[in-house]
Amino acid sequence: RRHRLSDGGRRAVLGGNQKGAPRQGRRASAMKQKSEYVRSERGGDTLFTVTPAPAPKFIYLGVIGAIAVVMGLPMLPLGIVLIGIGGLAIWAAFIRDMRPPEHRGTSVIIVGPDRIEAAGRTFKAEDIHRLLIRNAVTGQEGDVTIVNPSVSVAAGMGYRAKVAQIANALTLEGGGKATVLAGGMDEVTAYGLLRDVSRAIGFERAA
């Protein structure tokens, strides 16, 4: 049976059924905010420990929040509402991570010759339809163009674009369902992980 390796529209060009000694070490992107994964061997299985990139800061929203807090201080006690709104904006700008939960924490993928274990589940190789990279923000790969946006809209879209850069997930499809194996990655890390996981389980090269 052939297994298709996809990146959400383009087929990944992967070497199939390579049985050489696996490489150990770490792959990481050259971006300022890095995601990475470490590959190791355990009892005939290959383990991938994936660390997501930290969420970017929404500076524009943080500045707006700070201004709201400063404006609210001289207006106390009525200004408490303005201070609360400003505090919420600062929290959203510097602490909140808008990515789904599976993109925020470390993930471990265990790959054997006939199975993949991740997200608390075991997937048999014959039940896996394909492995692919899917972006949690855009839902796919592609660019969005806005003509002459306002300052606030431009800032929001710029932040969304930054989050999208580190919201790529290695996704497994099987049995009519999609399961995120690891998320929070930039494109370089995600494609490297796709390639190594596919080689570890021995998937064939897409035709």
PDB file of all heavy atoms in Angstrom, residues 17-37:
ATOM      1  N   ASN A  17      11.715   4.548   2.387  1.00  0.00           N
ATOM      2  CA  ASN A  17      12.258   3.271   2.842  1.00  0.00           C
ATOM      3  C   ASN A  17      13.769   3.281   2.989  1.00  0.00           C
ATOM      4  O   ASN A  17      14.448   2.340   2.578  1.00  0.00           O
ATOM      5  CB  ASN A  17      11.853   2.152   1.860  1.00  0.00           C
ATOM      6  CG  ASN A  17      10.355   1.981   1.799  1.00  0.00           C
ATOM      7  OD1 ASN A  17       9.669   2.105   2.798  1.00  0.00           O
ATOM      8  ND2 ASN A  17       9.850   1.719   0.619  1.00  0.00           N
ATOM      9  N   GLN A  18      14.314   4.336   3.554  1.00  0.00           N
ATOM     10  CA  GLN A  18      15.740   4.366   3.790  1.00  0.00           C
ATOM     11  C   GLN A  18      16.027   3.726   5.137  1.00  0.00           C
ATOM     12  O   GLN A  18      15.494   4.131   6.154  1.00  0.00           O
ATOM     13  CB  GLN A  18      16.263   5.809   3.777  1.00  0.00           C
ATOM     14  CG  GLN A  18      16.072   6.462   2.414  1.00  0.00           C
ATOM     15  CD  GLN A  18      16.829   7.755   2.319  1.00  0.00           C
ATOM     16  OE1 GLN A  18      17.560   8.119   3.219  1.00  0.00           O
ATOM     17  NE2 GLN A  18      16.667   8.439   1.217  1.00  0.00           N
ATOM     18  N   LYS A  19      16.930   2.730   5.143  1.00  0.00           N
ATOM     19  CA  LYS A  19      17.178   1.944   6.338  1.00  0.00           C
ATOM     20  C   LYS A  19      18.511   2.256   6.990  1.00  0.00           C
ATOM     21  O   LYS A  19      18.980   1.515   7.832  1.00  0.00           O
ATOM     22  CB  LYS A  19      17.127   0.444   5.983  1.00  0.00           C
ATOM     23  CG  LYS A  19      15.790   0.013   5.384  1.00  0.00           C
ATOM     24  CD  LYS A  19      14.639   0.270   6.343  1.00  0.00           C
ATOM     25  CE  LYS A  19      13.328  -0.235   5.743  1.00  0.00           C
ATOM     26  NZ  LYS A  19      12.192   0.021   6.620  1.00  0.00           N
ATOM     27  N   GLY A  20      19.180   3.305   6.575  1.00  0.00           N
ATOM     28  CA  GLY A  20      20.475   3.644   7.153  1.00  0.00           C
ATOM     29  C   GLY A  20      20.344   4.074   8.596  1.00  0.00           C
ATOM     30  O   GLY A  20      19.257   4.283   9.118  1.00  0.00           O
ATOM     31  N   ALA A  21      21.488   4.204   9.263  1.00  0.00           N
ATOM     32  CA  ALA A  21      21.481   4.619  10.661  1.00  0.00           C
ATOM     33  C   ALA A  21      20.889   6.018  10.775  1.00  0.00           C
ATOM     34  O   ALA A  21      21.268   6.923  10.037  1.00  0.00           O
ATOM     35  CB  ALA A  21      22.905   4.611  11.211  1.00  0.00           C
ATOM     36  N   PRO A  22      19.924   6.217  11.690  1.00  0.00           N
ATOM     37  CA  PRO A  22      19.275   7.524  11.817  1.00  0.00           C
ATOM     38  C   PRO A  22      20.225   8.565  12.365  1.00  0.00           C
ATOM     39  O   PRO A  22      21.106   8.268  13.160  1.00  0.00           O
ATOM     40  CB  PRO A  22      18.125   7.246  12.808  1.00  0.00           C
ATOM     41  CG  PRO A  22      18.597   6.076  13.596  1.00  0.00           C
ATOM     42  CD  PRO A  22      19.408   5.245  12.648  1.00  0.00           C
ATOM     43  N   ARG A  23      20.003   9.793  11.951  1.00  0.00           N
ATOM     44  CA  ARG A  23      20.786  10.905  12.471  1.00  0.00           C
ATOM     45  C   ARG A  23      20.210  11.325  13.818  1.00  0.00           C
ATOM     46  O   ARG A  23      19.006  11.342  14.005  1.00  0.00           O
ATOM     47  CB  ARG A  23      20.734  12.094  11.504  1.00  0.00           C
ATOM     48  CG  ARG A  23      21.333  11.806  10.157  1.00  0.00           C
ATOM     49  CD  ARG A  23      21.343  13.078   9.329  1.00  0.00           C
ATOM     50  NE  ARG A  23      20.012  13.658   9.226  1.00  0.00           N
ATOM     51  CZ  ARG A  23      19.144  13.312   8.303  1.00  0.00           C
ATOM     52  NH1 ARG A  23      19.444  12.380   7.436  1.00  0.00           N
ATOM     53  NH2 ARG A  23      17.968  13.892   8.243  1.00  0.00           N
ATOM     54  N   GLN A  24      21.094  11.696  14.713  1.00  0.00           N
ATOM     55  CA  GLN A  24      20.653  12.217  15.991  1.00  0.00           C
ATOM     56  C   GLN A  24      21.088  13.665  16.095  1.00  0.00           C
ATOM     57  O   GLN A  24      22.145  14.038  15.616  1.00  0.00           O
ATOM     58  CB  GLN A  24      21.264  11.410  17.147  1.00  0.00           C
ATOM     59  CG  GLN A  24      20.765   9.970  17.185  1.00  0.00           C
ATOM     60  CD  GLN A  24      21.190   9.295  18.466  1.00  0.00           C
ATOM     61  OE1 GLN A  24      21.619   9.966  19.397  1.00  0.00           O
ATOM     62  NE2 GLN A  24      21.069   7.984  18.516  1.00  0.00           N
ATOM     63  N   GLY A  25      20.300  14.459  16.740  1.00  0.00           N
ATOM     64  CA  GLY A  25      20.649  15.863  16.882  1.00  0.00           C
ATOM     65  C   GLY A  25      19.413  16.719  16.868  1.00  0.00           C
ATOM     66  O   GLY A  25      18.320  16.246  17.120  1.00  0.00           O
ATOM     67  N   ARG A  26      19.571  17.979  16.524  1.00  0.00           N
ATOM     68  CA  ARG A  26      18.469  18.918  16.620  1.00  0.00           C
ATOM     69  C   ARG A  26      18.357  19.707  15.344  1.00  0.00           C
ATOM     70  O   ARG A  26      19.333  20.173  14.780  1.00  0.00           O
ATOM     71  CB  ARG A  26      18.698  19.861  17.805  1.00  0.00           C
ATOM     72  CG  ARG A  26      17.594  20.876  17.995  1.00  0.00           C
ATOM     73  CD  ARG A  26      17.781  21.617  19.293  1.00  0.00           C
ATOM     74  NE  ARG A  26      18.962  22.459  19.282  1.00  0.00           N
ATOM     75  CZ  ARG A  26      19.331  23.211  20.304  1.00  0.00           C
ATOM     76  NH1 ARG A  26      18.642  23.191  21.428  1.00  0.00           N
ATOM     77  NH2 ARG A  26      20.404  23.979  20.224  1.00  0.00           N
ATOM     78  N   ARG A  27      17.119  19.850  14.884  1.00  0.00           N
ATOM     79  CA  ARG A  27      16.830  20.706  13.738  1.00  0.00           C
ATOM     80  C   ARG A  27      16.134  21.946  14.263  1.00  0.00           C
ATOM     81  O   ARG A  27      15.216  21.867  15.053  1.00  0.00           O
ATOM     82  CB  ARG A  27      15.908  20.003  12.732  1.00  0.00           C
ATOM     83  CG  ARG A  27      16.563  18.831  12.020  1.00  0.00           C
ATOM     84  CD  ARG A  27      15.522  18.162  11.141  1.00  0.00           C
ATOM     85  NE  ARG A  27      16.110  17.054  10.413  1.00  0.00           N
ATOM     86  CZ  ARG A  27      16.636  17.155   9.200  1.00  0.00           C
ATOM     87  NH1 ARG A  27      16.665  18.328   8.616  1.00  0.00           N
ATOM     88  NH2 ARG A  27      17.131  16.107   8.583  1.00  0.00           N
ATOM     89  N   ALA A  28      16.541  23.098  13.768  1.00  0.00           N
ATOM     90  CA  ALA A  28      15.901  24.340  14.201  1.00  0.00           C
ATOM     91  C   ALA A  28      15.963  25.333  13.065  1.00  0.00           C
ATOM     92  O   ALA A  28      16.821  25.277  12.206  1.00  0.00           O
ATOM     93  CB  ALA A  28      16.586  24.924  15.434  1.00  0.00           C
ATOM     94  N   SER A  29      15.030  26.255  13.055  1.00  0.00           N
ATOM     95  CA  SER A  29      15.018  27.260  12.007  1.00  0.00           C
ATOM     96  C   SER A  29      15.986  28.375  12.350  1.00  0.00           C
ATOM     97  O   SER A  29      16.482  28.479  13.455  1.00  0.00           O
ATOM     98  CB  SER A  29      13.605  27.846  11.865  1.00  0.00           C
ATOM     99  OG  SER A  29      13.371  28.779  12.887  1.00  0.00           O
ATOM    100  N   ALA A  30      16.229  29.248  11.392  1.00  0.00           N
ATOM    101  CA  ALA A  30      17.125  30.373  11.618  1.00  0.00           C
ATOM    102  C   ALA A  30      16.358  31.611  12.057  1.00  0.00           C
ATOM    103  O   ALA A  30      16.905  32.695  12.129  1.00  0.00           O
ATOM    104  CB  ALA A  30      17.911  30.680  10.348  1.00  0.00           C
ATOM    105  N   MET A  31      15.069  31.443  12.370  1.00  0.00           N
ATOM    106  CA  MET A  31      14.257  32.575  12.790  1.00  0.00           C
ATOM    107  C   MET A  31      14.650  33.002  14.200  1.00  0.00           C
ATOM    108  O   MET A  31      15.253  32.258  14.965  1.00  0.00           O
ATOM    109  CB  MET A  31      12.776  32.190  12.771  1.00  0.00           C
ATOM    110  CG  MET A  31      12.252  31.838  11.386  1.00  0.00           C
ATOM    111  SD  MET A  31      10.554  31.254  11.483  1.00  0.00           S
ATOM    112  CE  MET A  31       9.742  32.697  12.159  1.00  0.00           C
ATOM    113  N   LYS A  32      14.305  34.218  14.548  1.00  0.00           N
ATOM    114  CA  LYS A  32      14.601  34.734  15.877  1.00  0.00           C
ATOM    115  C   LYS A  32      13.885  33.908  16.932  1.00  0.00           C
ATOM    116  O   LYS A  32      14.440  33.598  17.986  1.00  0.00           O
ATOM    117  CB  LYS A  32      14.191  36.208  15.971  1.00  0.00           C
ATOM    118  CG  LYS A  32      14.549  36.848  17.313  1.00  0.00           C
ATOM    119  CD  LYS A  32      14.174  38.303  17.302  1.00  0.00           C
ATOM    120  CE  LYS A  32      14.535  38.971  18.622  1.00  0.00           C
ATOM    121  NZ  LYS A  32      14.169  40.396  18.641  1.00  0.00           N
ATOM    122  N   GLN A  33      12.623  33.580  16.694  1.00  0.00           N
ATOM    123  CA  GLN A  33      11.859  32.727  17.587  1.00  0.00           C
ATOM    124  C   GLN A  33      11.834  31.344  16.977  1.00  0.00           C
ATOM    125  O   GLN A  33      11.217  31.114  15.949  1.00  0.00           O
ATOM    126  CB  GLN A  33      10.445  33.276  17.780  1.00  0.00           C
ATOM    127  CG  GLN A  33      10.427  34.617  18.490  1.00  0.00           C
ATOM    128  CD  GLN A  33       9.019  35.100  18.767  1.00  0.00           C
ATOM    129  OE1 GLN A  33       8.086  34.731  18.075  1.00  0.00           O
ATOM    130  NE2 GLN A  33       8.867  35.926  19.773  1.00  0.00           N
ATOM    131  N   LYS A  34      12.505  30.410  17.629  1.00  0.00           N
ATOM    132  CA  LYS A  34      12.731  29.114  17.014  1.00  0.00           C
ATOM    133  C   LYS A  34      11.838  28.031  17.591  1.00  0.00           C
ATOM    134  O   LYS A  34      11.553  27.991  18.765  1.00  0.00           O
ATOM    135  CB  LYS A  34      14.193  28.701  17.213  1.00  0.00           C
ATOM    136  CG  LYS A  34      15.205  29.621  16.558  1.00  0.00           C
ATOM    137  CD  LYS A  34      16.618  29.150  16.868  1.00  0.00           C
ATOM    138  CE  LYS A  34      17.647  30.066  16.234  1.00  0.00           C
ATOM    139  NZ  LYS A  34      19.025  29.647  16.557  1.00  0.00           N
ATOM    140  N   SER A  35      11.440  27.128  16.705  1.00  0.00           N
ATOM    141  CA  SER A  35      10.919  25.841  17.123  1.00  0.00           C
ATOM    142  C   SER A  35      12.008  24.835  16.794  1.00  0.00           C
ATOM    143  O   SER A  35      12.916  25.117  16.012  1.00  0.00           O
ATOM    144  CB  SER A  35       9.630  25.511  16.371  1.00  0.00           C
ATOM    145  OG  SER A  35       9.859  25.494  14.969  1.00  0.00           O
ATOM    146  N   GLU A  36      11.935  23.666  17.416  1.00  0.00           N
ATOM    147  CA  GLU A  36      12.974  22.681  17.171  1.00  0.00           C
ATOM    148  C   GLU A  36      12.475  21.295  17.544  1.00  0.00           C
ATOM    149  O   GLU A  36      11.449  21.154  18.213  1.00  0.00           O
ATOM    150  CB  GLU A  36      14.233  23.007  17.980  1.00  0.00           C
ATOM    151  CG  GLU A  36      13.999  22.991  19.484  1.00  0.00           C
ATOM    152  CD  GLU A  36      15.218  23.407  20.273  1.00  0.00           C
ATOM    153  OE1 GLU A  36      16.122  24.009  19.674  1.00  0.00           O
ATOM    154  OE2 GLU A  36      15.262  23.118  21.475  1.00  0.00           O
ATOM    155  N   TYR A  37      13.207  20.285  17.080  1.00  0.00           N
ATOM    156  CA  TYR A  37      12.927  18.932  17.542  1.00  0.00           C
ATOM    157  C   TYR A  37      14.228  18.167  17.699  1.00  0.00           C
ATOM    158  O   TYR A  37      15.207  18.428  17.011  1.00  0.00           O
ATOM    159  CB  TYR A  37      11.959  18.203  16.601  1.00  0.00           C
ATOM    160  CG  TYR A  37      12.484  17.870  15.230  1.00  0.00           C
ATOM    161  CD1 TYR A  37      13.127  16.654  14.981  1.00  0.00           C
ATOM    162  CD2 TYR A  37      12.312  18.745  14.167  1.00  0.00           C
ATOM    163  CE1 TYR A  37      13.594  16.340  13.710  1.00  0.00           C
ATOM    164  CE2 TYR A  37      12.776  18.438  12.907  1.00  0.00           C
ATOM    165  CZ  TYR A  37      13.405  17.230  12.679  1.00  0.00           C
ATOM    166  OH  TYR A  37      13.870  16.927  11.428  1.00  0.00           O
TER     167      TYR A  37
END
